[in-house]
Amino acid sequence: MGKFSRRNFLGSSAALPLGLGIASISNQSNAAYVTGQADMLVIGKIITMDTYNPLAEAMAIKGDRILAVGDLEEVLPFAGASTERIDASNHVITPGFIDAHSHPLFAEEAIGVNVNLPNIDEVKKALAWKASQTPPGHWVRGVMYDDTKFSDERPLNRNDIDQVVKDHPVYVAHRGGHTGVVNSMALEIAGVTMETPDPVGGKFYRENGEFTGKVAEHAVDTFFRVGTWPVMNRSVRQEAARISSKNMAASGLTSTTDASGNRDDLVAYQDARRDDELSFRVSFMPNGNSKVYTGLKEAGIGSGYGDEMIRIGAVKFAADGSASERTMSMSTPYEGKPDDYGILTMNQDEIYAAVDDAVAHDFRVGIHANGDIAINMVLNAYEKVLKVNNGPNPRHRIEHCSLVNESLLNRIKATGVIPTPFYTYAYYHGNKWVDYGYEKMQNMFAHRSFLDAGIPVAPASDFTPGPYEPMMAIQSMVTRKDVRGRVWGPDQRISVSDAMRICTVHGAYASFEEDIKGSLEAGKLADFVILEKDPREVNPDEIINIKILKTVLGGRTTFEI
């Protein structure tokens, strides 16, 4: 076997992010049955993300596992007459990319109309068309709305919708998931008048004595309780899972996380998998207020239950508003809005109770907390529960964890918490950062600060709010430039190698799966991507243009140009 050690072929406990410990399950248990002739041989420049064997020339695959990784002369003997050979000599092979926080089924284009359009007139046309296809009085739903992307340089409002849709209530959902825009009929059927108070943890936006149509956080719930909404049945949801996973595979993703799933979402993934239509692995985080979470607790099923394709992750709660929709709860106000500190959607006692109950039912916890106020409250709860629950690091999570400071970083490190800041936001959402200002942006999406503190920061798109494409993510974290070339938070720039490690190794660590994926090592799952070019060797401003040539999930091709 030449210079290859047993580790190279049978695997070992992977070096965890930043040397944080040893996996509880050795790769040797995975590799025990990975023997014999390879089904596939991949040749090229292989960036393994294995600390002990970072570069390789060839990789042999049998079934859904990696049989061997290393020099061509050492791996070639594993190939036989029937072995499929993939020559990627002019390209680069990396581990499959991982998204540790997304909402794959959130867009719901099967029942709404996509309003991710260049201007408000186009949105009005789209809503008018959708209304013409909808029974009178039934809700018309717009999806993928973004208030900062129009050439009009203003957001959609109630009057815009009223001009084209009068016989239907309309709800246009912001792609961020925390706000929307409604028309006058929607306000009418919901019984919302100018005298209606804002609900706790929500807001009906008003200007000059009138509703703008914008609604935020718990105010959105008011509209979902009235009228006739379009329904997604089981077959439509399965199709949505098929399409979403196919699209993500085309971007180089092999694993994702549904970070607030309900029963129908879990069934959709199961149905797609049954029919061999699921093109990614999914860590399923049940919504903490959902029936599926209640059912899992009653069944005695907690975090970690499942297999390599669908596994139950942390339970998800939400403590404050949105970064992209400018409702997150902060200790200092938004730029130009001295009275606006954002919105809390849970109080401290509610967070304590949610965490205590989850831990009592063997669940890890992931709480959405963007602003420093909310992050502090979540850490209070984690610190409290960890005092009475000894044992291995449970890797509780702070979803988004957008605005941090030195004190919060120290507490995150001390508690072993996994932060999941947005990885494409600096690039994609540049217009929104004006509302935060230069000083805040030096401490937002703080990948550099997390790494410097020894915290295994996870990769997170939060799709639909943010794009999930890994090449965009790597460029965004490396350059901190938006689409116009403006730099937001230059002190948070990281290297391409660090960004790639976040999108692979750290992604696996975030879901307790570093023993089976995240790097290309013998015994691990054969999840890999072939890239047109090496992201480390191109102009950082051009990483986004690198083509995904092939995506392989467990030895099965899920995308190929």
Side-chain angles (χ1 to χ4, degrees):
M1 294 176 63
K3 64 182 180 182
F4 273 77
S5 68
R6 179 177 174 83
R7 177 186 57 76
N8 294 107
F9 286 103
L10 295 185
S12 67
S13 204
L16 300 192
L18 310 167
L20 293 181
I22 299 176
S24 59
I25 302 175
S26 169
N27 287 340
Q28 291 183 12
S29 63
N30 295 327
Y33 57 87
V34 187
T35 58
Q37 179 179 295
D39 297 320
M40 180 186 296
L41 176 69
V42 184
I43 299 170
K45 180 181 180 180
I46 302 175
I47 303 173
T48 68
M49 290 296 165
D50 174 7
T51 302
Y52 302 105
N53 187 35
L55 292 174
E57 298 173 336
M59 177 169 60
I61 293 164
K62 184 174 181 60
D64 66 349
R65 300 280 171 166
I66 298 171
L67 180 61
V69 186
D71 294 341
L72 177 59
E73 63 189 45
E74 301 288 344
V75 176
L76 192 59
F78 288 89
S82 62
T83 299
E84 176 188 3
R85 288 166 166 79
I86 298 175
D87 185 355
S89 299
N90 297 320
H91 305 297
V92 174
I93 299 100
T94 72
F97 295 108
I98 298 170
D99 187 346
H101 184 117
S102 72
H103 306 278
L105 305 182
F106 192 63
E108 297 191 344
E109 289 187 55
I111 58 172
V113 60
N114 191 322
V115 296
N116 184 22
L117 298 165
N119 57 63
I120 289 173
D121 280 344
E122 291 298 315
V123 172
K124 290 160 69 174
K125 290 176 184 177
L127 292 173
W129 173 83
K130 187 64 177 178
S132 72
Q133 309 298 308
T134 304
H138 289 213
W139 280 93
V140 169
R141 181 162 187 172
V143 300
M144 299 296 286
Y145 162 62
D146 191 318
D147 62 307
T148 63
K149 297 295 190 290
F150 295 139
S151 59
D152 309 73
E153 297 189 350
R154 70 170 180 85
L156 185 72
N157 61 44
R158 174 178 60 89
N159 293 327
D160 293 324
I161 306 173
D162 285 347
Q163 289 170 15
V164 293
V165 184
K166 302 180 185 298
D167 299 327
H168 303 76
V170 177
Y171 178 77
V172 178
H174 196 287
R175 66 181 296 160
H178 292 256
T179 64
V181 184
V182 298
N183 65 346
S184 294
M185 188 172 181
L187 292 163
E188 180 182 344
I189 69 169
V192 178
T193 69
M194 289 300 292
E195 287 69 43
T196 302
D198 289 337
V200 176
K203 187 173 182 178
F204 303 110
Y205 286 76
R206 301 165 167 92
E207 285 183 7
N208 303 318
E210 294 183 350
F211 287 115
T212 67
K214 181 179 177 179
V215 295
E217 307 301 343
H218 289 321
V220 173
D221 304 339
T222 305
F223 302 95
F224 282 89
R225 290 193 288 262
V226 298
T228 304
W229 285 86
V231 176
M232 285 187 73
N233 61 30
R234 184 167 177 171
S235 63
V236 171
R237 286 188 177 277
Q238 177 180 342
E239 176 66 2
R242 183 191 71 81
I243 293 172
S244 181
S245 67
K246 180 180 178 182
N247 291 341
M248 288 187 173
S251 77
L253 287 170
T254 53
S255 293
T256 192
T257 303
D258 189 320
S260 191
N262 58 35
R263 175 190 175 279
D264 290 340
D265 297 331
L266 184 57
V267 170
Y269 295 128
Q270 296 277 22
D271 286 347
R273 179 188 184 177
R274 177 198 63 217
D275 292 342
D276 294 324
E277 295 176 344
L278 195 62
S279 298
F280 55 39
R281 307 183 193 280
V282 60
S283 175
F284 182 83
M285 294 176 64
N287 182 296
N289 298 311
S290 67
K291 292 180 180 179
V292 71
Y293 177 50
T294 300
L296 289 169
K297 289 192 295 181
E298 290 175 348
I301 294 174
S303 298
Y305 183 86
D307 61 15
E308 290 91 350
M309 283 299 293
I310 304 173
R311 194 182 304 278
I312 303 299
V315 60
K316 165 73 178 299
F317 295 94
D320 74 341
S322 161
S324 65
E325 296 165 85
R326 284 85 76 207
T327 58
M328 73 187 206
S329 180
M330 304 183 297
S331 58
T332 55
Y334 287 88
E335 288 287 304
K337 300 176 181 179
D339 298 323
D340 189 353
Y341 291 80
I343 298 172
L344 282 171
T345 56
M346 296 177 76
N347 62 38
Q348 186 67 74
D349 287 340
E350 289 170 333
I351 296 173
Y352 283 141
V355 172
D356 289 345
D357 179 69
V359 171
H361 287 91
D362 295 324
F363 270 90
R364 300 169 62 213
V365 187
I367 302 182
H368 163 127
N370 272 298
D372 56 336
I373 292 293
I375 295 169
N376 172 66
M377 293 167 66
V378 171
L379 285 170
N380 288 341
Y382 289 163
E383 289 164 344
K384 176 176 176 287
V385 78
L386 288 171
K387 287 180 181 178
V388 295
N389 287 273
N390 298 320
N393 175 14
R395 301 183 200 173
H396 295 311
R397 299 162 48 120
I398 299 180
E399 309 305 319
H400 312 319
C401 203
S402 292
L403 177 61
V404 296
N405 54 48
E406 185 174 355
S407 174
L408 295 176
L409 288 168
N410 290 336
R411 293 169 67 192
I412 291 168
K413 170 67 173 176
T415 52
V417 166
I418 307 294
T420 67
F422 308 104
Y423 69 4
T424 56
Y425 266 33
Y427 174 82
Y428 185 76
H429 282 309
N431 283 351
K432 297 177 172 62
W433 311 139
V434 175
D435 288 331
Y436 292 91
Y438 181 84
E439 185 176 350
K440 277 194 180 73
M441 286 303 298
Q442 290 282 47
N443 295 292
M444 287 180 65
F445 325 136
H447 294 93
R448 177 77 274 153
S449 294
F450 288 125
L451 293 179
D452 288 348
I455 297 167
V457 55
S461 70
D462 198 32
F463 177 81
T464 58
Y468 50 68
E469 288 79 1
M471 293 302 102
M472 182 192 296
I474 292 170
Q475 178 171 314
S476 184
M477 289 186 283
V478 168
T479 69
R480 299 285 293 202
K481 292 180 182 178
D482 67 15
V483 293
R484 298 183 182 181
R486 295 172 295 185
V487 178
W488 298 101
D491 290 351
Q492 295 300 338
R493 290 168 170 156
I494 62 176
S495 71
V496 175
S497 293
D498 281 340
M500 292 178 68
R501 180 164 292 275
I502 287 171
C503 292
T504 53
V505 176
H506 288 201
Y509 184 80
S511 60
F512 265 97
E513 294 178 297
E514 68 274 9
D515 58 313
I516 59 172
K517 64 186 182 183
S519 59
L520 300 177
E521 302 177 59
K524 287 193 173 184
L525 291 163
D527 296 354
F528 66 91
V529 176
I530 300 179
L531 302 177
E532 175 192 22
K533 299 176 181 178
D534 187 339
R536 303 171 306 175
E537 296 179 358
V538 303
N539 183 327
D541 292 328
E542 297 177 358
I543 294 174
I544 194 173
N545 298 321
I546 296 175
K547 294 179 181 178
I548 309 298
L549 303 181
K550 188 182 185 75
T551 303
V552 175
L553 180 75
R556 173 174 63 93
T557 299
T558 54
F559 171 78
E560 187 169 19
I561 289 183

